[in-house]
Amino acid sequence: MKKTQSDTLGFVPQKDIVYNKLLPYADRLDDESGEILSRIKGNLGRAVQLREIWPGVLFWTRKLSTYMRLYGRKFSKEDHVLFIKLLYELVTIPRLEISMMQGLARLLINLLKKKELLSREDLELPWRPLYELHDRILFSKTEHLGLNWFPNSVENVLKTLVKNCRPYFSENATQEMLDEWRPLLCPFDVTMQRAISYFELFLPTTLPPELHHKGFKLWFDELINLWVSVQNLPSWEIHLVNLFARLANDNIGYLDWDPYIPKIFTRILRSFNLPVGTSQMMVSRYVTNAYDIGHVVLWVSSLLGGPSKQTQAQLSGLFNSITSFFHPSNHGRWLMKLMKLLQRLPASVVRRLHRERYRKPSWLTPIPDTHKLTEEDITEFVQSMMQPVLLAMFSKTGSLDAAQALQNLALMRPELVIPPVLERTYPALETLTEPHQLTATLSCMIGVARSLVSGGQRFPEGPTHMLPLLMRALPGVDPNDFSKCMITFQFIATFVTLVPLVDCSSALHERTDLTEVEREMCSASAEFEDFVLQFMDRCFALIDSSTLEQTREETETEKMTHLESLVELGLSSTFSTILTQCSLDIFKVALEKVFNFATTNIFETRVAGRMVADMCRAAAKCHPAESLKLFVPHCCNAINQIAANEEVLNEEELDKEFLWNLQLLSEVTRVDGDKLIPYRSDLVQMLQLTLHLKCKQGYVLACNLLHHILRSTALIYPTEYCSMPGGFHQPVCDYLPIKDWGRPGDLWNLDIRWHVPSVEEISLAFYLLDLLLQPELQRLQRFSKGEQEMSRDDVLQSLTIVQHCLLGAGGLMPPLKGEPIPNLVHSMVNLEETTLYTGMDYDETRENYRDAIYNVMRNLLHYILEHSEDDTKSLFSIIKIISDLLHFKGSHKHEFDSRWKSFNLVKKSMENRLHGRKQHIRALLIDRVMLQHELRKLTVEGCQYRTTHQELMKDLLRLSTSTYSQIRSRAQSVLFTALGTYNFCCRDLIPHVLEFLNPENSRVTQQQFKGALYCLLGNHSGVCLANLHDWDCIALTWPGIVRSGLSSAMSLEKPSIVRLFDDLADKIHRQYETIGVDFSVPEECCAVAKLLMTTGSPFPVDAVPSEEETEQGLKRQKLKNSEAVEKYKGLIGDLIDCLSNRNLPWKFEHISIGFLSLLLRDDHQLPPAAVTFFVKSLNHDSLYVRKVAISAVAGIMKQIKRPHKKVPVSPAELSKKCKIVAGDRPDNQWLQYNSSNLPRTQQEWDLCVFVEKTHWGYYCWPRNMLIYAPEEEQPKQNLSRTEMTEVRQRQVQPSQVLSVQGEIRHKPRVYDGLFRNFGDAFLPVLRPHMERLVSDSHESKQRCVAEIISGLIRGCKHWSFSKVESLWELLCPLLRTALSNITIETYADWGTCIATACESRDPRKLHRLFEMLMESPVNGEGGSFVDACRLYVLQGGLAQQEWRVPELLHRLLQYLEPKLTQVYKNVRERIGSVLTYIFMIDVNLPFTQPTTSPRISDFTERILLKLKPLTEGDEEIQNHVIEENEVGEQDERTQAIKLLKTVLKWLIASAGRSFTTAVPEQLQLLPLLFKIAPVENDDSYDELKRDAKTCLSLMSQGLLYTDQIPMVLDVLKEIAGSSSWHARYTVLTYLQIMVFYNLFTFMSDQKAVKDVRGLVIKLLEDEHCLHHRPTDCSSFISTYFATRFGSSPADLVRRHAGVLGLSACILSSPYDVPTWMPQLLMDLSAHLNDTQPIEMTVKKTLSNFRRTHHDNWQQHKQQFTDDQLLVLTDLLVSPCYYA
């Protein structure tokens, strides 16, 4: 088949859409696609070579993406590669406008999507252009200043693009990327996040095995060690996990993960954030930085299998430990994550199995046999998941996730999955009291339906369940419970689609070759007929109970409610499925039954009538000949009899029977067209009789009849959707239907029966049009000329007939003709439209009714608008007709969309992901082919805009601005659709719309004004005229909107108009993207384009452009660039003109300023007039204007910043090391702050090499590091340009105003720019203000001066030494004053000020600042508050400097240590926080040198010495509150307590901030904490105890390494042996949380398991356990062991310990009864009468057991023997009071 096709095409297609070959006109498609493709290649190639990005390239790339939608990747491999290369070049053009880049990138993604089609040999892409693009957009330096506006979606598009290009990066790319980004790996800096996210996004992981040494082996050890050693979930850890998941998935079997598996699972479990224990604190970053479930699932499913089988064991452990969280009674924010895990893991494993066993081999590395999943791997995996999934079926979040999980699990192991689901389904079908159980189980059954019905070797008895299930589901068709009814319909329809309903019981006698199960199925199939009839009875009952008379009062509406229409849909689709699938015998019985029901009753036509008519239509569709024979004669007779009476035709209210028969007739005719031909005379007679009824309800039904007859004859559609081709009509001896249960359709032998209109049918259609449509058009034509009177009802009736004719026969009428409209845009490339063949050859000899309707409608519309504009009903009808004239070719877009949606839903619920390869059921495949046909009919992109369209659009615009709001809104929606369809028509329409907003136009009414605004606003999906990304359009619309404020029709009193303007401005701000002013195309693109035109087949018709043409193209492109700049300046000029008009209302002034602020760009300076305007607006009265102006001025400062020269230095020569060593090394010492070597003189300053970026040199040096050149090479700090002086003079006065303004974020940026660009020219002006403000403690003034100072410090980056020195002379005293005046409102501002000033600055340059801040922060002057603030400000500065100021950190620590015993709480908290930052640099990361900054271990030793008095004493530690006025040295003990408080603050603060937890050091403090921490949850405790408790909670959640576990357990053992029972008690809660949060690390260490077990048993025997809740142990015991303690009554305590242990075991399984439980309960009950406290414990346990197992007692009962049940019943039922 491929061979012949490649002959006709001339090439072998990469991968075309297979459904095209099944269309009735498939033979014509190869020629069509060849021609379209050659046009695309030719024109796209020409457009690029002529350098015409817009419209040429964009127009033809859009055509290419449409081509791919219609034909798939139907081009040769060479073309595929060339398309990709061309688009890659285009996307990476540096100055390309962002919206164009995005469109091209989406197409490129689509071309790269199927990576198996192109191997690495076929295609190689460079990575650097993508990285530069990514960096320029996502880490834009100018976007935050408002100089660039990117769309929101750009990030996702870029990431997807990189993801799809990744497989094709060259083999050396990995090394290049590592060299590029390793220098950024400084864990204290934001660059870390950036580097790791680049690694995640760019590193290629699909290299073939022989290249692995150039791929992941270069970085795997480094990054995995980094991941293992980080403990506190920094934000970049997620990216690492995503990278590892991808790596594992792409290289299954080539990487040994075993050593990391316990760590992986521990971290996965931690990232669910499950609540454990009672007193648990959540750390907020654990919640925000939790892993992405999708990647976790991918990782886990890639680790399964392989020789060691370790993963499966851990996975089972994971599910065991979290199963109880799935029980429906548990609920929390963690539930969504767990459900996602449940839903996606089976899907991911199925995907992997598919890849191992069924996928076509491609160039991607196959999985080695040693690591493929074996059968037992699959079985174990399914078993480990079953329990949580079965619990999740009834979850609060709905059963959908569980149903999807079951669907995938059942594909792998139906025999394990389906029986338990059935066990839950049968009781649920019986129960009457719990309908939610029914909906949950049925939706899960729908998921496993296909696996159940097809049986197979694994689950042969599956199909026998089918009939019992169907019969029991029937009661679900229940009029009173809507959701139950819908799920039942879905359930029945799903099962029936899979199974032919044929009675095969006769085969039992005729055939002997049947298996046992097949015999059972055959005999059961005798019940099918019964099932069908019972189902119909149920439906009839449902219909009877939903007639209008029953469900409505007289007054209510007669329309169907939403619920009723859903039920109608469910009923009709289920019924038609049943009839499609049943044998002819059953069908005849059913047909008769429906016919009798429909003809013996009379229904109203709104609700019940529609349902019955639907059932009849379903019958007629399945076997038209048999059904029409019954229905048509019956209906025609009934109608004729009633109509024999003349008056009927003129009655306003018609007889019910008449209407019902008409409705029935109109529905049964929706069948295969050629079956209607025999009845044509009857039907025509009916139409002539009924189309002109007086009664509206009557003639609408008649119009439906006409519409359906026309549709049936004129369209192409499949006529049957049965699950086996050819139906089930052979005798049983030749063909046994039960063999086809659940069988997928065969794509190659689908054997679709198409209905293609025959000559007879087409002539019938035209006969009807001539007979019925022609006279209506003539009447309307005469009416519109004023020659004939017609009442409004008559006009409406005629229009209704016209509309239905158009709907019915739209496919037969050729589209509107007309001359194309010239000169809308100029292009050197051909922009013609492509027409697709859709099986219709238009007959030119017959009358073209589309043109006829077009002419009549336009005349009629103008007539109605002149004479009776209030005839809204007719206008509605006309709008509908215009819409169909423009777009309708036989199907509507919205119908197509909803069908596409439902097709995808059904496909999902029944697909087989394991075998893949389109194994869908036949009905679905046919539906998909039909959708392909409709897609071709609806593809209208790039239609030429012709005169006829122009006329209709003008009419629509006139209607869109009419007097009545409903007409306006309907016309607008049609108009918006049309605007999106025709090329460049917006340019033609915009001037007409703006005419209504023009203030000179005095005739405009308010309605027209509003209508025009709505036209500009657009709807949510379509075009927004006000904001087309094109200079021509914006230059018209934006000033138009602003000027409309002067129009007489505009009134700000009307809230609706105000709201419209708000929406407009808002939409423009949201959707605006920077429009390009540079459209150049580089040479490389042209070279690829030329290749595209000269290679491969089909060969383009168009010639390669000649020299002259290319020259002309270049000229035009340059012209276009300069025009764009002109238009840009023109637009700004226009807006500023508008603003200078004094009469403009304030609202429009704001809108205009908003527009101006959007127009700042980074590649073109703002014109001087606009700069002047913004600077003047800095002290405007309105806050909004001031805000905009400030951010604009910050942007302008960036624009006029002069470039500073950089020179490369090569620090790599300083270090000749090849091994990676991070941290403080000899070769990066010169970067650190060293007070003996500071640049204090001009000469030292010149010699000092300043490195501003803090992360350089920490991890490794970059290849070439750029630093600023010396001062003499930099631009001079003098200003000549007039414009700049102009700006400068203007900025002197506003600075006074600026100084007192309120809260605006951008101000430091303004000052920063001011001092950067103009040196110290402004200092003298600002100095007096700063001195005044510093001494004033008001919030706004302090904030203002803080902003000025931080701007000053940042702006002096390039000042000369002398200027900087004088600046510090001025600043130091100011800052001292400021810090002494600090208040509670302003300390945050000062912190921000200093932190901003120090960010990315060399600490040696700011040495004056640091020395001043370090003077003596905690000196008690100004009270404790000022001390805390000084520390805060200092901390802000030092934290920004990270690892480069070890000396300052040491000095600070020395200074603070004696002050740790502070009395004041706020100072203590602040010191705790500062300590965190001091020790932040002491990290325990791989390849990292020990730091020269302060270390935690030394500090802890010194602290422990001072805490000695507390650790030794045994008495309770109280918080000694001492009167502050007591002078004299307090004793050591109180000092120690104060010290401890500060240390606790430090521990709490560091839990959330540092990367690694210093476990060994913290352990030394543990005993002390256990002593203090309170037992009960009581907030009345003092600060000390609360902090101790918090600390313990945070420490117990910490992540432990294997080597740390023994240390922790030793400490805990020691405490458990201590004398304080408080401490011993707290050990248990600590242990519980710690074990859960490090579960797999513990599990993988046998000794640790033993130790924990010993510890728990020891504590059980503790005599203080009387105070003990057994539940604390339950979690351990359940996790580890279910062994029993001997309960030998040695002494009371030991016996009580045993009883407590037993209780814990029983409580550990609250939702099920494991095998060991019955015996335990018996043992416990023996102790019911022991002495207290044992009796109490036993009673409590039994009542808890009863409470938790009560719900499902029926199932749990099965686990006990009869004797045990007797004993239990005695125990659980409370003894009678009188006994």
Side-chain angles (χ1 to χ4, degrees), residues 332 489 664 745 906 1135 1346 1469 1499:
F489 279 145
L664 195 51
V906 177
L1135 287 172
E1469 281 185 354
F1499 177 65

Side-chain angles (χ1 to χ4, degrees), residues 735-753:
Y735 161 76
L736 194 57
I738 56 168
K739 304 254 190 204
D740 287 332
W741 282 26
R743 167 170 300 191
D746 173 3
L747 242 185
W748 303 114
N749 305 312
L750 260 191
D751 192 20
I752 306 183
R753 310 284 168 87

